[in-house]
Amino acid sequence: MSGEGGVLGPLVWLMRQVLEWSFDLLGSHGVSILVLNLVVNIALVPLYMLTDRWKRREQALRSKMQPEIDKIDAYYTGQERYYYIRAIHRRHGHSALGALRVSAGLLIQIPFFLAAYQLLDDYAPHLGASFGFLSNLGKPDGLLFDAHALPLVMTAANLATAAALGGVMSRSERIQAGAVALAFFIVLYDSPSGLVLYWTASNAFALARALFRLRRQEAAPDGAAAGRDLRAGPRSVATCLALAGLFPAVFFIGQNQLLVASSRDATIVVAGYVAAAATTYLVVWLATPRWLSTGEAALFAAIAFVVYAFSPTLVENEIYSSEKGGWLQNGVLYIGAVSLAYAGISRAVSRLRTASFALAGLAAVAGVQGILNMQSLLAEQYFVHDAIMQAKLERRPNIYFVLPDSYANVTTLKKLGINVSSFTKYLKNREFEVYDDYYASYSGTGRTMSSLFNMSHHYLRNARGHQELGGARDIVAGNNHFNAILRRNGYRSHFVQSGHYFLAGRACRWDSCWPGSAVPLLLRETLLPKFTESWFRAGGKFDEQVDEAIDRAATAGSPTFTYIHHMSRPGHTHNRGRCNHKREKKSYAQRIAKANKWMQDVIAKIIKKDPDAIVIIASDHGGYVTENCTILRRHAKSPMSVDDRVSALAAIRWRGDSGAFGKRIRTSATLMSVVIAYLAENPKMLEHLAEDSTFMRMGKDTYQVTEDGKPLWPNLRQLSKDDPHRREVVRMGAKKKKPGAKKP
């Protein structure tokens, strides 16, 4: 029954479009079913409201006629009774059509049920698709020892709705509701669980509507809430909740414009926040005592959600820091939330809207700076010589890129008192060349890896202050020169990362990516980061994905490039601007040891299953364990302050003699170009590499801190803001002379 012909054809087609659109957006068949159901029910809300109004009018009219009908019943029977009752109906304007309106709520659902049945009963994409405890949406669930549990849940929700409305339903209506529930149970019992899930969600929505109707009826004028004008109508409640979700969403978008990469992402964030605020209201409204009116419930839910959304203890994000400015910003937002509470409780609900707009304005002001700072790195053209871009690869082995985040180079670690000689010995015993003095080209993950994969420099040209470059994550997510070259030479590419850093809010342009769909990651990042962060950190699923990626590459029929990035092995400091250096160094050394163990495990698996592969180990930057334990907002005090941020581990297991190619491994900007030249067996490509330099933002300016892989300290070169190739030597660490001081 998957066709779209007949009378219901247009409706089936429309529902199919919604279902497919939501799956493309969210990447989950189960969630797309729920979204379809939500869209249908929202579209039907005006009809539900109309039928409820008809039903109330019919009940009021019947109540008005009932005393007269009771008198007729007491004295008359048969034909005479019929004529008298008919006269009463005529006098009060009651008709058979009015009686039919009572059942209109059920009747309007029939076309949508039939359309959903026609669409979902044999929907091919649902075969084999799982959702939660449902292993196959295209088949009955079979959860209860081959019996089906979901139809029971659906029927229970249906009967719960009838029970909730039992006090306002007539006996015939209760019988009708029970009969409908039984009929749906019989018809849908052996249906695919995707279809039953759809109708279970419909019943849940009906139950929520029934509870809402009862809750409104319970808010009687003589109740405890009558002394205050807080019995808000649906429009006021909706406005309050929309704004309660809107202003933290605006603030988040403003401060995280690099995560929210498009208007679609912004829409998802706003919708997610508003939906979360509405859910909070539903929970509060169902859980509060009878004396709490709809307006008070909306106000309480709005305040609770706003405090949650802005709380640094619950929403763990880069916009919240321990620096003075961060706490001041949070203080302003908390004061706004308290003002909202006072204005709402001590005034009428009509004032609530004004207070909500005021608080939304505070959030917008706090976020406007981030919105104005939005930049696009993709507009900057990375120059890579045609000889490299058009390379034809003579060697095509599998390639693994293993990235331990924030792992400084061997020389810097020695200066920090961290001994990794046993690990470097392990690497050399397995035919790795270790580059003790390798440098990342920049001091941040996005900055370094976008430069590495595009095999050129961006010179921090569009960076504003110390914020990450716009577009850098899109480049690493697959839109880069290195992947393009490999793809033209028959490679497939796979991306595995222990966190959501590069993929949240972005489309994956690798052949496969983990963690999965970008949109659920975006919502997780915005609403529940702290509670779910462990899902994508060390151990568990990530290690399993690494094993699967190695197995997939080792058994593939075509050459593969596999990127494996561990975000917390070793990982840099807390990055908040204050630190205890002794404690941080000790902690960093412990994390280095864990990173070494992790890399040894990964290397052993690769060599065992794919012994002829090239294995690249390269970090993105150093550990940030000196000075303020974060990015430098002022000039460096010592060469260690620079090396601690831009030196990086590098080691490569070439297949065969690396020769001149291995000698050119100095910085991340040229690393992948050298690999391409090696695979092409073309040493002349080494003449067309990007400059082997490292650049670092200190204060408001950008400085060149290495040249040809060698530190320039103390004579760093400050880049011109107009032309990054114009540079002025600035001596670091020189003490300023006091006025009038004499030479010794």
Side-chain angles (χ1 to χ4, degrees):
M1 298 182 64
S2 59
E4 294 178 6
V7 177
L8 295 176
L11 184 57
V12 175
W13 178 87
L14 186 61
M15 293 175 69
R16 181 185 294 275
Q17 301 311 305
V18 174
L19 184 69
E20 294 178 351
W21 171 83
S22 58
F23 174 74
D24 291 340
L25 185 67
L26 301 173
S28 169
H29 285 291
V31 175
S32 65
I33 292 173
L34 299 180
V35 169
L36 171 63
N37 184 268
L38 181 64
V39 170
V40 169
N41 276 289
I42 291 176
L44 290 177
V45 163
L47 292 177
Y48 287 144
M49 295 175 66
L50 180 62
T51 57
D52 286 345
R53 192 179 302 121
W54 286 346
K55 190 171 184 178
R56 287 195 300 271
R57 288 178 181 175
E58 177 67 18
Q59 289 174 341
L61 189 57
R62 286 185 178 182
S63 298
K64 189 175 181 180
M65 295 186 301
Q66 195 60 44
E68 298 182 47
I69 293 175
D70 290 342
K71 291 180 181 179
I72 297 298
D73 288 338
Y75 295 101
Y76 302 99
T77 59
Q79 192 76 11
E80 194 174 14
R81 174 183 176 278
Y82 167 75
Y83 283 120
Y84 277 118
I85 291 179
R86 184 177 177 183
I88 294 172
H89 285 179
R90 192 182 303 114
R91 186 168 65 252
H92 287 278
H94 184 263
S95 65
L97 179 61
L100 185 62
R101 287 178 175 178
V102 175
S103 303
L106 174 63
L107 296 176
I108 63 174
Q109 296 182 56
I110 292 177
F112 292 91
F113 167 73
L114 294 176
Y117 190 92
Q118 187 171 334
L119 174 62
L120 299 175
D121 185 52
D122 189 22
Y123 188 62
H126 285 173
L127 287 172
S130 62
F131 177 63
F133 54 84
L134 301 174
S135 59
N136 189 343
L137 292 173
K139 300 290 183 181
D141 60 81
L143 292 173
L144 297 176
F145 306 101
D146 295 330
H148 310 318
L150 198 56
L152 296 175
V153 176
M154 175 194 70
T155 305
N158 213 338
L159 294 175
T161 304
L165 294 175
V168 294
M169 293 173 67
S170 65
R171 182 173 179 274
S172 62
E173 289 173 337
R174 290 196 296 271
I175 294 174
Q176 180 190 70
V180 168
L182 179 61
F184 273 106
F185 177 78
I186 295 172
V187 171
L188 297 179
Y189 180 76
D190 283 321
S191 295
S193 55
L195 175 59
V196 183
L197 176 65
Y198 174 88
W199 206 250
T200 301
S202 286
N203 290 346
F205 187 87
L207 178 60
R209 281 197 312 116
L211 293 174
F212 180 76
R213 287 175 56 190
L214 290 176
R215 192 65 181 80
R216 291 189 64 187
Q217 291 174 4
E218 290 173 359
D222 58 349
R228 287 166 286 181
D229 188 13
L230 282 176
R231 296 187 305 279
R235 184 177 301 175
S236 295
V237 171
T239 302
C240 171
L241 296 175
L243 290 172
L246 181 62
F247 50 69
V250 170
F251 180 79
F252 181 89
I253 293 169
Q255 296 298 311
N256 292 268
Q257 71 276 7
L258 300 172
L259 177 67
V260 183
S262 66
S263 58
R264 185 200 71 159
D265 297 337
T267 302
I268 292 169
V269 172
V270 171
Y273 270 93
V274 172
T279 302
T280 305
Y281 167 69
L282 184 61
V283 172
V284 170
W285 176 74
L286 291 174
T288 50
R290 291 182 58 180
W291 55 264
L292 197 62
S293 70
T294 54
E296 289 172 323
L299 174 61
F300 184 85
I303 296 171
F305 181 75
V306 167
V307 171
Y308 163 76
F310 286 127
S311 174
T313 60
L314 291 179
V315 180
E316 192 174 51
N317 223 298
E318 61 186 32
I319 61 174
Y320 303 112
S321 68
S322 59
E323 297 179 34
K324 183 177 180 181
W327 290 114
L328 178 62
Q329 189 177 70
N330 283 329
V332 171
L333 295 170
Y334 277 124
I335 291 171
V338 174
S339 300
L340 171 63
Y342 178 79
I345 292 176
S346 62
R347 297 284 191 267
V349 167
S350 59
R351 302 277 182 95
L352 178 60
R353 198 169 301 153
T354 303
S356 298
F357 273 114
L359 189 53
L362 285 174
V365 169
V368 71
Q369 180 181 1
I371 294 175
L372 294 177
N373 287 348
M374 292 183 72
Q375 302 287 336
S376 177
L377 185 61
L378 297 178
E380 299 283 358
Q381 295 299 316
Y382 286 75
F383 175 75
V384 179
H385 198 278
D386 286 345
I388 298 175
M389 288 301 299
Q390 303 302 323
K392 181 180 179 181
L393 306 186
E394 301 297 333
R395 299 181 174 121
R396 294 199 304 163
N398 288 340
I399 306 170
Y400 297 86
F401 191 110
V402 181
L403 195 157
D405 200 279
S406 312
Y407 197 124
N409 67 27
V410 175
T411 301
T412 299
L413 291 177
K414 286 181 181 178
K415 294 177 181 178
L416 288 172
I418 300 174
N419 187 349
V420 292
S421 59
S422 60
F423 178 62
T424 57
K425 182 178 179 181
Y426 171 89
L427 293 175
K428 292 175 181 178
N429 288 340
R430 283 151 185 81
E431 302 177 307
F432 279 85
E433 290 186 26
V434 180
Y435 303 95
D436 291 354
D437 298 310
Y438 172 86
Y439 282 89
S441 293
Y442 299 91
S443 60
T445 302
R447 297 175 177 186
T448 294
M449 299 311 295
S450 59
S451 171
L452 179 143
F453 279 118
N454 264 350
M455 303 182 295
S456 185
H457 283 285
H458 46 68
Y459 298 109
L460 302 173
R461 278 174 292 192
N462 73 345
R464 185 179 294 270
H466 292 277
Q467 294 183 358
E468 184 189 316
L469 290 172
R473 301 189 191 192
D474 298 272
I475 292 170
V476 181
N479 187 21
N480 58 69
H481 293 328
F482 182 74
N483 267 359
I485 295 171
L486 292 186
R487 196 170 290 117
R488 280 199 300 271
N489 283 272
Y491 273 80
R492 295 181 63 82
S493 58
H494 305 289
F495 181 100
V496 183
Q497 187 179 28
S498 66
H500 54 268
Y501 183 79
F502 285 123
L503 292 181
R506 277 156 181 80
C508 169
R509 294 183 177 88
W510 300 65
D511 290 304
S512 70
C513 287
W514 192 90
S517 175
V519 172
L521 288 174
L522 176 62
L523 293 176
R524 183 178 67 81
E525 169 70 11
T526 56
L527 289 172
L528 294 171
K530 187 169 185 179
F531 302 130
T532 58
E533 186 71 16
S534 60
W535 297 355
F536 298 98
R537 286 299 184 185
K541 294 182 179 180
F542 172 64
D543 290 335
E544 294 173 7
Q545 290 297 319
V546 171
D547 291 344
E548 288 184 17
I550 295 172
D551 289 338
R552 181 167 54 240
T555 58
S558 59
T560 62
F561 173 66
T562 305
Y563 176 85
I564 302 171
H565 185 167
H566 205 313
M567 297 288 291
S568 57
R569 291 289 185 271
H572 55 59
T573 62
H574 54 67
N575 203 26
R576 290 184 173 178
R578 293 197 301 248
C579 64
N580 180 311
H581 293 112
K582 183 178 180 180
R583 184 174 59 202
E584 287 297 338
K585 288 181 181 179
K586 180 179 179 181
S587 174
Y588 186 56
Q590 292 171 345
R591 298 197 306 274
I592 287 285
K594 292 180 180 179
N596 293 342
K597 176 62 170 60
W598 172 73
M599 283 188 283
Q600 288 175 10
D601 291 342
V602 173
I603 291 168
K605 292 173 184 176
I606 294 173
I607 293 177
K608 179 180 179 180
K609 297 181 179 181
D610 204 351
D612 296 325
I614 291 177
V615 183
I616 303 169
I617 297 176
S619 183
D620 49 351
H621 55 76
Y624 295 4
V625 295
T626 58
E627 285 206 29
N628 61 347
C629 290
T630 186
I631 52 179
L632 292 179
R633 301 185 184 277
R634 56 191 177 190
H635 289 174
K637 296 180 180 179
S638 68
M640 178 55 72
S641 300
V642 175
D643 290 348
D644 175 42
R645 284 159 178 78
V646 295
S647 73
L649 173 70
I652 300 179
R653 186 176 186 262
W654 306 93
R655 304 320 297 139
D657 182 19
S658 64
F661 304 104
K663 295 177 182 178
R664 287 302 307 269
I665 302 298
R666 299 168 185 166
T667 64
S668 59
T670 60
L671 173 61
M672 305 314 278
S673 297
V674 173
V675 171
I676 292 294
Y678 170 81
L679 295 175
E681 298 181 353
N682 188 351
K684 291 185 177 180
M685 288 185 183
L686 299 178
E687 300 172 5
H688 306 299
L689 303 182
E691 64 174 304
D692 259 323
S693 301
T694 296
F695 301 91
M696 186 171 168
R697 180 63 61 89
M698 288 184 277
K700 297 181 180 179
D701 300 307
T702 301
Y703 295 86
Q704 180 185 354
V705 298
T706 74
E707 184 176 51
D708 292 331
K710 297 179 181 179
L712 293 175
W713 183 274
N715 299 314
L716 307 187
R717 297 168 187 168
Q718 182 178 338
L719 276 62
S720 168
K721 294 181 180 179
D722 299 323
D723 181 1
H725 299 287
R726 285 173 45 206
R727 300 166 192 178
E728 178 183 352
V729 175
V730 176
R731 185 172 177 81
M732 292 289 165
K735 295 182 179 179
K736 294 182 178 180
K737 294 181 180 180
K738 295 181 180 179
K742 295 182 180 180
K743 293 182 180 180

